[in-house]
Amino acid sequence: MDYLILIYYLCGFALSVFLLTCIVLIVMSEPYPVIFRHKKEKYFVPLDGISIPCPLISDKATLDLSVVVPAYNEEERLPVMLDECIDFLEAKSKSNSFNYEIIVVSDGSKDKTVDVAQKYVKKLGTEKMRVLELVKNRGKGGAVRLGIQSTRGRLLLFADADGATKFSDYDKIEKSLLDLLHIDDKHSVEDQLAISIGSRAHLQDEAIASRSFFRTVLMHGFHFLVWFFTVKGIKDTQCGFKLLTRKAARICFDSLHVEKWAFDVEMLYIAQRLKIPIAEVAVNWTEIDGSKVTPVWSWVQMGKDLGLIWLRYVSCAWKIKELKSD
C-alpha cells in the first residue's frame, strides 16, 4: 500500500513538473520565429563594388534551381564541393534548358571562406554564383534559412559544404520529388508542395562495423528519439542533401525555430504536420575529414533539442503557420 501511495505522489510530482515546464516554455517562447536580419545580410557580398540586394522567397521564381551551401570555416573543403557541383550543373545547363544559382552562406566564418567563394563568383558571374556573409555565427539551421529565403529557384536544394554527397545524385532526388507530384513539367513545381531528401540509411550496416559499441548505441538512441518525439517514417533525417519546392521551403522555414544542428528534424516535423509529401532517396555518401560535429556531444545535444522541440509544440509554445492558398 505504501508503494502505491509513493507511486501516486511521484506521478503527481512528475505531472506538476511537466505542467510547470510547459508554462515556463509558453511564457519564455515566441510562438512563431522572430527572424532578425542585419542590414549587411540583406545584400550579397559585393563584386567589383556592386551590391546585389537579396530577393525574397515570396517573390516569383526566375530560375530552375537554387543551391544553398551553408559554410562555417570551410576554406579548405569548399573548393572540392563547388568544383563538383559546378561541373554537374554546367553540364546539365548545356544539355537542356536549365538555369541555376549557387548561394554560399558564410555563417560568421573566421577564415577565408568568403574569399574562396568570391573567386567562384568572379569566374561564373553573379547570375550563377552569389555569397551571403552573415555578421555572426547563427548555426547551420540559421545559415540555411537565410540562404533559402534569398533564392530565386523553383526548386531549392541545400547541400553541405564538405561535398560528402555526390552531386550527381541530384537527378535521383529531383525525379523522386516530381514523382511525388505526378508531374513532368519542372516549371510547374514552384507552387506545389513536396520534399525529397538524400538518405544514408543503406550505408548503416557498413557504418556500424567501423564504429565503437558506445557510438553505435548513441546513434541508435538518437534515431529512437527522432522517431519517438518528432519525425516518423524517415530513416535518415540528418543527411545534408535536401530538395524542396519553393512553396514547401517558404512554409517550412517561415515556421522553423531551431538554428543549430537539429533544424533538419524540425523542418521535417513541420512538413509532416502539414502533410507535405516527403521522399527519401539513397545517395552516395563518403565521410570527409574536418567535420564540425563532435560525435558524442553533438548527438547528446541534438537529443536534448529533440525533446524540447516536441515539448514546445505539444505545449503550443511553438506554433506552425497555417497553409494558405496562394
Side-chain angles (χ1 to χ4, degrees):
M1 194 66 176
D2 290 341
Y3 287 114
L4 292 176
I5 294 173
L6 179 60
I7 292 172
Y8 174 80
Y9 279 114
L10 287 175
C11 289
F13 176 74
L15 180 60
S16 298
V17 171
F18 176 78
L19 292 174
L20 180 62
T21 302
C22 289
I23 292 170
V24 170
L25 288 175
I26 292 172
V27 172
M28 299 288 290
S29 302
E30 293 287 344
Y32 302 107
V34 178
I35 306 169
F36 172 76
R37 196 160 186 161
H38 191 277
K39 183 178 180 180
K40 183 180 177 181
E41 297 169 347
K42 295 179 181 180
Y43 295 84
F44 294 107
V45 175
L47 179 65
D48 298 329
I50 301 174
S51 296
I52 300 175
C54 297
L56 301 175
I57 196 170
S58 55
D59 296 342
K60 293 295 291 183
T62 57
L63 300 173
D64 293 314
L65 175 67
S66 294
V67 179
V68 175
V69 184
Y72 176 66
N73 294 343
E74 292 286 2
E75 64 175 337
E76 294 184 4
R77 301 195 298 179
L78 187 60
V80 177
M81 182 273 176
L82 287 178
D83 287 340
E84 184 195 4
C85 173
I86 291 167
D87 286 347
F88 174 83
L89 294 176
E90 281 293 294
K92 191 175 180 68
S93 66
K94 290 175 182 176
S95 62
N96 53 42
S97 57
F98 171 83
N99 48 23
Y100 71 90
E101 68 176 349
I102 302 169
I103 299 175
V104 174
V105 185
S106 175
D107 189 20
S109 298
K110 306 298 184 185
D111 64 355
K112 296 182 180 179
T113 295
V114 172
D115 295 335
V116 169
Q118 277 295 93
K119 291 180 181 178
Y120 287 87
V121 179
K122 292 178 181 178
K123 178 181 177 181
L124 293 175
T126 54
E127 275 301 302
K128 289 184 176 180
M129 183 83 192
R130 297 177 172 186
V131 179
L132 181 60
E133 184 176 13
L134 304 190
V135 173
K136 64 177 182 179
N137 180 266
R138 292 173 180 254
K140 185 180 177 182
V144 170
R145 190 222 308 270
L146 287 194
I148 289 287
Q149 293 180 334
S150 305
T151 55
R152 296 173 289 161
R154 296 179 183 88
L155 292 176
L156 312 180
L157 174 78
F158 61 88
D160 286 349
D162 61 3
T165 304
K166 293 299 179 185
F167 215 89
S168 56
D169 283 332
Y170 171 78
D171 285 338
K172 289 199 299 183
I173 67 168
E174 180 191 70
K175 182 180 183 302
S176 293
L177 184 143
L178 296 176
D179 288 344
L180 286 176
L181 298 173
H182 306 291
I183 59 175
D184 296 319
D185 182 13
K186 300 175 186 178
H187 292 84
S188 64
V189 301
E190 176 180 351
D191 296 321
Q192 305 294 320
L193 289 170
I195 298 173
S196 183
I197 65 174
S199 174
R200 305 158 296 179
H202 61 295
L203 303 172
Q204 185 169 301
D205 290 342
E206 180 182 336
I208 288 174
S210 62
R211 282 194 178 105
S212 68
F213 175 75
F214 181 60
R215 288 183 66 183
T216 299
V217 170
L218 281 176
M219 180 192 71
H220 284 300
F222 175 73
H223 289 166
F224 172 77
L225 290 176
V226 169
W227 171 84
F228 185 79
F229 285 122
T230 52
V231 179
K232 316 295 183 186
I234 302 293
K235 295 179 180 177
D236 182 8
T237 60
Q238 300 309 113
C239 181
F241 205 70
K242 294 181 172 67
L243 182 70
L244 302 87
T245 63
R246 189 173 186 84
K247 184 176 181 179
R250 174 168 55 83
I251 290 168
C252 290
F253 282 93
D254 276 355
S255 292
L256 189 81
H257 292 79
V258 176
E259 293 198 319
K260 302 300 182 182
W261 295 104
F263 84 97
D264 302 76
V265 177
E266 189 192 2
M267 186 200 80
L268 294 172
Y269 174 79
I270 291 169
Q272 288 192 337
R273 284 276 300 269
L274 295 175
K275 301 189 184 316
I276 296 174
I278 303 170
E280 187 173 12
V281 183
V283 294
N284 292 294
W285 185 88
T286 306
E287 189 166 356
I288 306 295
D289 292 337
S291 172
K292 306 297 186 299
V293 178
T294 306
V296 176
W297 172 243
S298 295
W299 288 339
V300 171
Q301 192 173 33
M302 283 192 283
K304 178 200 72 174
D305 289 343
L306 293 177
L308 288 174
I309 290 171
W310 172 81
L311 189 56
R312 284 180 170 124
Y313 278 113
V314 166
S315 66
C316 293
W318 285 356
K319 297 180 181 179
I320 298 172
K321 293 184 179 180
E322 295 181 4
L323 279 172
K324 295 180 181 179
S325 57
D326 294 332

